[in-house]
Amino acid sequence: MIESRTARSVIDHAVSLGADFVDLFVERNQVNEISTLSGEVQDIGSGIDFGIGVRLVYGTRVLYGFTNRTGAQELERIVSDLAAKDRRDPATSARSFDYRDVPDVHRARRTLARDPETENKATWLLAADRSARAASNLVAQARGSCAQREQAVEIFNSEGLHVRDTRHYVRARLTAIAADGSEQATGTATEGGLKGWEIAEAVDPEETGAEAARQALVNLSARPCPSGRLPVVIGSGFGGVIFHEACGHLLETTSVAKKASVFHDRMGDMIANPVVSAVDDGTLVREWGSINVDDEGMATERTQLIRDGRLVGFLADRIGSEQTGYPRTGSGRRQSYAFAPASRMRNTFIEPGEDRFEDMIASIGRGIYAARMGGGSVQPGTGEFNFAVTEGYFVEDGRVRYPVKAATLISTGPDVLKRISMVGNDSALATGMCGSVSGAVPVTVGQPTLKVDEILVGGNA
Amino acid sequence: MPVCEAVRARAERVLDLVAGAGASGDLIVSEGTSLSFKARDGELEEHKVSSSRIFGVRVLKDDRAGIAYSEASDGEALRSMVAQAITNASFARSDPDERILDHDGILATDDALLCPTDDTSLEEKIDAALAIERRLAARAKVKNVPYNGVLDVAGDRHVFSTAGLRAHSRSRVCSAWAYALLEDGDRNVLDGTSRAARRFAELDIDAIVDETHARCLALIDGEAVPSRRYDVAFDIECQSALFGVFAMMFSAKAARDGVNPMRDKVGEAVADGALNVCDSPRRSDGLRYTLFDDEGTATKTVRLIDAGRLATLAHSSATAAHFGLDPTGHGVRSPRGPLGVGVHQLNIEAGRESETALASGEYLEIVDLTGLHSGANPVSGDFSFGAAGFLCRDGERRRPVRNVTVAGNFYEMLKRIAAIGDVERWNAARSSLMARIRFADVAISG
């Protein structure tokens, strides 16, 4: 996307100012988005983001600049501005680029560059829309959206690395709104992956619409949620957000290096119930959080984080690795050229256990079944996290009784990991976007259904 | 200025291409620069600079709208952008309400006010970042200051249309923030504060340090309170965030789309009769001050809730045409997005209760909310957040409270207002100006 001699010139300039390490991240991001409402196409947009991020490292100090004015002169000006306070005699010399072809294990067929397929996407979304509104007279509205993007990246660094990668993302979503008098409730079904529009061949829009309507109708009938410290069974798939928030962020060297994670000095310790083993895996074929190489040019990998309750791994980018001494894991990620890379999760999940859903529910006297989760957040320094229940049920005397609404679960990572007492065998993954220091990146969360013996449920009953 | 002339020349070419395709349209060009620093262990950890420019076009052809954007600004990229927008419009629904307004001529804001010259040197900004971290790290019980920094962002925004609109505004926002991790035995807390201003020199670094440390010290021993209903008063940050999450209630676009529960309630009581809410875009002491919206419509103070009744929704030209009303100056559009609706500077007007009266008896003062992005449903009004604060009596903080949740329905909560204070305060980002509200009978779980 830029000529090697331009990259060479910028990196040589930075090295001449004494930088220990320099890299360039060049990105061209093509986007196509379509939204539907009330059985009609509402908005269609498309565009191209293009820019370059340049990172200079002096010791462990990171200097970062970006621009979408891409001439060598502008890039060298940014480098000079960045290095103004740190410039010194050259400590190293830049190596010649050694271009490395990256095998694409997530090849897409129906790509955005080939054809945006606007009409096909509209047809798919409108079929889902019809299906949702046909489910019940109470479904008053349906909103659909499909976003496809093709992110081409090229990475150069002063150690001679030169790689290119292209990532194809697609995500389709339908939200149904059910109304009864002044009461309104929503339900959302989402499909997506590191794929092209061939996703439409595998996903039935009518099922997507029906699922969104089902959730909206359940939530419309939901009662206020009981509150207090209760046992909770958390459903598979997006329920994995509990591990993402409760533990995953605390295992990123972004937090570990600053000692801003409660787990920063716990490597090798038992931090979870022995039934818990957890993995972050960037290699899963065509999964939403997968990559061929990370945004520092390193081939990604599978990283065991917790094995049988014991902490065995952190997620490390280049700087995090240098600061903590833990090996890089191909986890250096960023939203775009506007962000310096940081250690980030990819596809993170709790591995399956042997317990049955029925046994988990039967073990509860009074509690909650959180069938579907929304997003959440965490403070790594204290481990305090929260996440929202988007489809929940009250459980009493070992039976699922009735749907409940507006519930948040809060706890701390160290506490909840020890209170996971049962892990099912129905593993599933779900797509999400994760926001952190290097922006919003696609991640997969996942887990089998599991039971937490006690967690604070915030309800309105 | 040369940059403006270069932008103007490209914009004219884009609009010529739009007109040549038999369409009308508008173009937003957004340019910006930024500079930021973060500190760690007494040294500069991160230094970031940027320069950016993006062109975003909206075309209207045969009553259909299409949008496209490009961060490349060469002739071929801009031609491709217009062609994409025209193609996109061909797939969109027919919407005769959306049109390019007949605004022509030149609109500008006061650059000297919105983007003042600031002679703070690079070294002084670096020193500020280092000072925040160093001074906080030296305070009692502070383990480290993992999140801190200073930021200086300046930008130019241009709106051009085929009707002849040539609007330009320039802005500058400087900010500084610190979040400290305090430890005391087995207890810990992470909390912080921020400040924003148009001039770097106006940022009160000492106040950030003092306030962050005081908040953390006050909260570190916090424990849950028993689950029941309490009167609740949010601090201005939390209250501003809460109203921001549910700002869709004022959106005429959401009403037109059938997702705003207030769509049929204009003129009806939607809140306690003591509540008055307006949008005050021309308060120049706010950092979202603006004289015109993204369609070139002049802004004005708009009363949204008047004595508890929903007075109007916020309108763009398209929603106003749909409902047969006049635009209210709330058309918003980013270079990447379609025409939408947004409130500029939300203002909850001062009530009649003194701060002392507001704080009478027992209530929970909430100073931290978590899960705002995931725990709220603006369509239903239901919310459930993690919360921290203080159990108070007669204005005195009796005990710190942590690890609780606050839950309810926001639209119902607006009807259960116990008191509104008589002092208006800006939030830290200076984007909303609010008197404090005491809500009655709010579910707290601990």
Side-chain angles (χ1 to χ4, degrees):
Chain A
M1 291 181 283
I2 63 169
E3 294 184 12
S4 291
R5 66 182 177 186
T6 302
R8 170 89 282 143
S9 166
V10 175
I11 288 175
D12 283 348
H13 180 57
V15 170
S16 77
L17 298 175
D20 296 316
F21 173 80
V22 186
D23 66 3
L24 290 179
F25 180 82
V26 189
E27 180 190 18
R28 182 184 187 278
N29 190 47
Q30 185 178 353
V31 178
N32 175 268
E33 295 179 335
I34 176 169
S35 64
T36 58
L37 178 76
S38 308
E40 291 184 306
V41 173
Q42 187 179 39
D43 294 310
I44 304 179
S46 53
I48 292 175
D49 307 283
F50 182 77
I52 301 176
V54 55
R55 177 171 61 161
L56 282 62
V57 179
Y58 286 80
T60 56
R61 179 182 306 180
V62 175
L63 314 177
Y64 193 75
F66 67 87
T67 181
N68 47 30
R69 302 172 190 179
T70 54
Q73 197 175 359
E74 172 67 1
L75 285 163
E76 288 176 16
R77 183 194 68 77
I78 286 177
V79 166
S80 296
D81 282 357
L82 285 170
K85 291 278 290 180
D86 293 271
R87 62 182 305 166
R88 61 190 182 193
D89 290 337
T92 184
S93 58
R95 291 187 201 156
S96 301
F97 295 137
D98 178 16
Y99 177 73
R100 184 157 50 87
D101 202 17
V102 177
D104 183 4
V105 298
H106 313 288
R107 196 169 294 276
R109 281 189 291 111
R110 295 166 70 174
T111 65
L112 192 53
R114 176 180 161 273
D115 183 353
E117 298 199 56
T118 306
E119 192 157 5
N120 289 336
K121 289 172 183 166
T123 300
W124 193 96
L125 288 171
L126 293 174
D129 176 300
R130 279 193 302 276
S131 172
R133 287 187 291 132
S136 166
N137 289 336
L138 295 174
V139 177
Q141 190 60 281
R143 307 186 74 143
S145 66
C146 177
Q148 187 174 8
R149 71 184 179 103
E150 187 166 319
Q151 183 196 35
V153 303
E154 186 169 20
I155 304 162
F156 302 87
N157 75 24
S158 55
E159 295 173 346
L161 179 136
H162 178 197
V163 296
R164 294 191 189 100
D165 191 21
T166 301
R167 298 134 183 193
H168 303 275
Y169 296 98
V170 67
R171 212 171 185 210
R173 167 178 296 182
L174 193 89
T175 296
I177 298 163
D180 188 3
S182 61
E183 294 282 315
Q184 293 196 139
T186 60
T188 299
T190 304
E191 304 289 345
L194 190 66
K195 304 168 183 173
W197 184 240
E198 65 268 16
I199 190 174
E201 298 161 17
V203 181
D204 182 349
E206 295 190 355
E207 288 180 11
T208 302
E211 171 58 19
R214 185 196 64 76
Q215 290 177 35
L217 292 167
V218 165
N219 287 330
L220 189 65
S221 68
R223 304 183 204 174
C225 184
S227 58
R229 297 188 179 277
L230 300 170
V232 177
V233 172
I234 300 174
S236 64
F238 204 76
V241 72
I242 186 174
F243 183 79
H244 178 100
E245 299 295 351
C247 189
H249 279 297
L250 283 56
L251 303 182
E252 296 166 338
T253 52
T254 306
S255 300
V256 171
K258 294 179 177 177
K259 298 183 175 60
S261 162
V262 289
F263 294 133
H264 75 89
D265 55 356
R266 302 290 307 278
M267 181 58 75
D269 290 355
M270 290 295 291
I271 64 166
N273 188 300
V275 300
V276 177
S277 292
V279 168
D280 184 79
D281 189 349
T283 68
L284 299 176
V285 176
R286 297 191 183 91
E287 289 296 343
W288 177 246
S290 294
I291 41 182
N292 289 305
V293 293
D294 72 3
D295 293 332
E296 299 180 307
M298 177 182 174
T300 196
E301 63 175 40
R302 181 182 196 273
T303 310
Q304 188 84 36
L305 300 171
I306 296 173
R307 181 177 291 119
D308 301 329
R310 190 176 302 281
L311 177 60
V312 296
F314 288 130
L315 298 171
D317 63 327
R318 171 183 285 273
I319 297 297
S321 174
E322 289 181 4
Q323 291 174 334
T324 63
Y326 293 106
R328 290 172 67 188
T329 52
S331 310
R333 304 186 68 192
R334 51 181 131 195
Q335 176 179 323
S336 72
Y337 67 87
F339 296 84
S343 56
R344 302 293 296 273
M345 285 175 272
R346 299 156 298 191
N347 306 299
T348 316
F349 53 91
I350 292 177
E351 295 185 293
E354 297 176 347
D355 294 300
R356 298 189 318 146
F357 171 75
E358 296 80 4
D359 294 337
M360 295 183 209
I361 295 296
S363 71
I364 292 179
R366 183 173 182 273
I368 301 295
Y369 168 40
R372 290 182 183 278
M373 306 300 301
S377 62
V378 66
Q379 289 190 337
T382 62
E384 294 170 328
F385 70 85
N386 65 85
F387 50 103
V389 180
T390 57
E391 182 184 345
Y393 299 86
F394 180 59
V395 178
E396 192 174 45
D397 297 333
R399 293 178 59 194
V400 175
R401 297 289 181 176
Y402 55 81
V404 294
K405 61 184 175 182
T408 286
L409 309 183
I410 70 169
S411 184
T412 67
D415 187 58
V416 79
L417 285 174
K418 289 178 179 164
R419 294 181 188 273
I420 296 173
S421 60
M422 301 173 83
V423 178
N425 55 12
D426 54 344
S427 289
L429 300 175
T431 63
M433 295 298 292
C434 171
S436 186
V437 290
S438 60
V441 299
V443 296
T444 297
V445 298
Q447 66 170 41
T449 302
L450 55 80
K451 180 190 170 193
V452 181
D453 283 339
E454 184 185 285
I455 193 167
L456 179 59
V457 178
N460 187 29
Chain B
M1 294 176 63
V3 173
C4 284
E5 286 305 322
V7 167
R8 190 169 294 125
R10 287 185 173 97
E12 299 296 346
R13 284 205 293 277
V14 167
L15 295 177
D16 285 347
L17 289 167
V18 171
S24 58
D26 60 12
L27 174 72
I28 293 178
V29 185
S30 182
E31 302 177 286
T33 60
S34 72
L35 171 69
S36 66
F37 302 99
K38 295 177 185 174
R40 180 176 172 228
D41 296 337
E43 294 196 354
L44 205 59
E45 180 191 33
E46 184 181 295
H47 170 177
K48 194 170 177 180
V49 300
S50 75
S51 62
S52 61
R53 178 188 292 165
I54 179 169
F55 287 69
V57 70
R58 174 177 63 134
V59 302
L60 291 166
K61 187 173 184 185
D62 302 327
D63 289 336
R64 297 168 194 274
I67 54 173
Y69 70 88
S70 175
E71 290 188 333
S73 53
D74 59 275
E76 180 51 39
L78 296 179
R79 271 192 297 279
S80 172
M81 176 183 75
V82 173
Q84 280 181 38
I86 296 285
T87 300
N88 290 341
S90 71
F91 290 103
R93 66 173 175 171
S94 173
D95 181 4
D97 293 330
E98 185 165 349
R99 59 196 176 89
I100 301 300
L101 291 179
D102 290 333
H103 297 315
D104 58 7
I106 295 172
L107 295 175
T109 48
D110 184 349
D111 290 350
L113 170 70
L114 299 183
C115 191
T117 303
D118 192 338
D119 55 6
T120 307
S121 68
L122 188 74
E123 285 72 19
E124 287 171 313
K125 291 172 185 170
I126 293 172
D127 287 346
L130 294 171
I132 290 172
E133 200 242 0
R134 185 181 63 249
R135 291 180 199 171
L136 256 173
R139 296 286 180 95
K141 301 179 183 175
V142 174
K143 183 181 180 188
N144 57 34
V145 191
Y147 308 107
N148 66 78
V150 299
L151 171 67
D152 185 349
V153 179
D156 285 89
R157 186 175 177 83
H158 310 260
V159 184
F160 304 92
S161 81
T162 49
L165 177 67
R166 304 290 181 266
H168 171 243
S169 58
R170 178 168 289 172
S171 64
R172 175 177 210 144
V173 176
C174 301
S175 56
W177 64 94
Y179 286 78
L181 177 63
L182 267 66
E183 283 190 351
D184 187 8
D186 291 340
R187 294 182 172 276
N188 61 21
V189 67
L190 179 70
D191 207 309
T193 53
S194 63
R195 291 284 191 282
R198 290 197 176 95
R199 291 177 194 273
F200 196 89
E202 292 169 4
L203 296 173
D204 189 341
I205 301 302
D206 289 335
I208 292 171
V209 171
D210 291 343
E211 200 173 310
T212 295
H213 190 240
R215 281 174 65 99
C216 290
L217 274 182
L219 285 169
I220 194 166
D221 292 324
E223 292 184 343
V225 287
S227 299
R228 64 175 174 85
R229 291 182 179 271
Y230 294 79
D231 276 15
V232 165
F234 299 91
D235 72 3
I236 292 300
E237 290 307 308
C238 292
Q239 186 172 299
S240 170
L242 189 62
F243 274 83
V245 165
F246 291 99
M248 192 186 81
M249 70 177 289
F250 298 120
S251 169
K253 185 171 190 294
R256 189 192 65 180
D257 293 350
V259 296
N260 183 346
M262 301 294 155
R263 61 186 174 272
D264 300 320
K265 296 188 176 174
V266 174
E268 293 182 17
V270 297
D272 184 273
L275 184 67
N276 291 293
V277 179
C278 62
D279 184 23
S280 302
R282 296 198 170 205
R283 293 269 319 219
S284 61
D285 46 347
L287 295 180
R288 291 191 184 166
Y289 164 83
T290 184
L291 294 175
F292 48 85
D293 71 3
D294 291 329
E295 296 185 281
T297 301
T299 60
K300 59 185 177 186
T301 299
V302 174
R303 186 158 289 273
L304 298 166
I305 294 180
D306 187 1
R309 293 186 183 279
L310 185 64
T312 184
L313 298 174
H315 287 278
S316 66
S317 67
T319 63
H322 178 82
F323 289 103
L325 301 168
D326 292 328
T328 55
H330 290 103
V332 297
R333 192 168 92 73
S334 81
R336 290 180 170 85
L339 179 66
V341 164
V343 171
H344 305 288
Q345 298 188 134
L346 195 70
N347 180 193
I348 294 177
E349 296 178 3
R352 283 179 294 194
E353 307 289 342
S354 68
E355 297 270 302
T356 305
L358 185 88
S360 64
E362 184 188 72
Y363 65 99
L364 195 62
E365 176 192 13
I366 291 181
V367 301
D368 188 38
L369 289 174
T370 57
L372 282 159
H373 69 296
S374 57
N377 185 336
V379 174
S380 66
D382 294 328
F383 70 88
S384 178
F385 306 129
F390 303 92
L391 188 63
C392 304
R393 176 168 287 281
D394 296 330
E396 182 185 331
R397 291 175 171 177
R398 294 292 179 93
R399 57 176 281 203
V401 175
R402 293 173 67 192
N403 303 319
V404 299
T405 64
V406 53
N409 183 287
F410 181 75
Y411 305 130
E412 291 300 316
M413 207 165 75
L414 289 179
K415 297 172 183 169
R416 294 199 309 271
I417 290 174
I420 300 176
D422 60 358
V423 179
E424 295 179 2
R425 296 183 178 87
W426 287 102
N427 64 343
R430 300 188 75 79
S431 59
S432 56
L433 178 66
M434 296 188 165
R436 291 185 71 188
I437 300 173
R438 176 166 167 162
F439 296 98
D441 203 26
V442 179
I444 301 292
S445 306

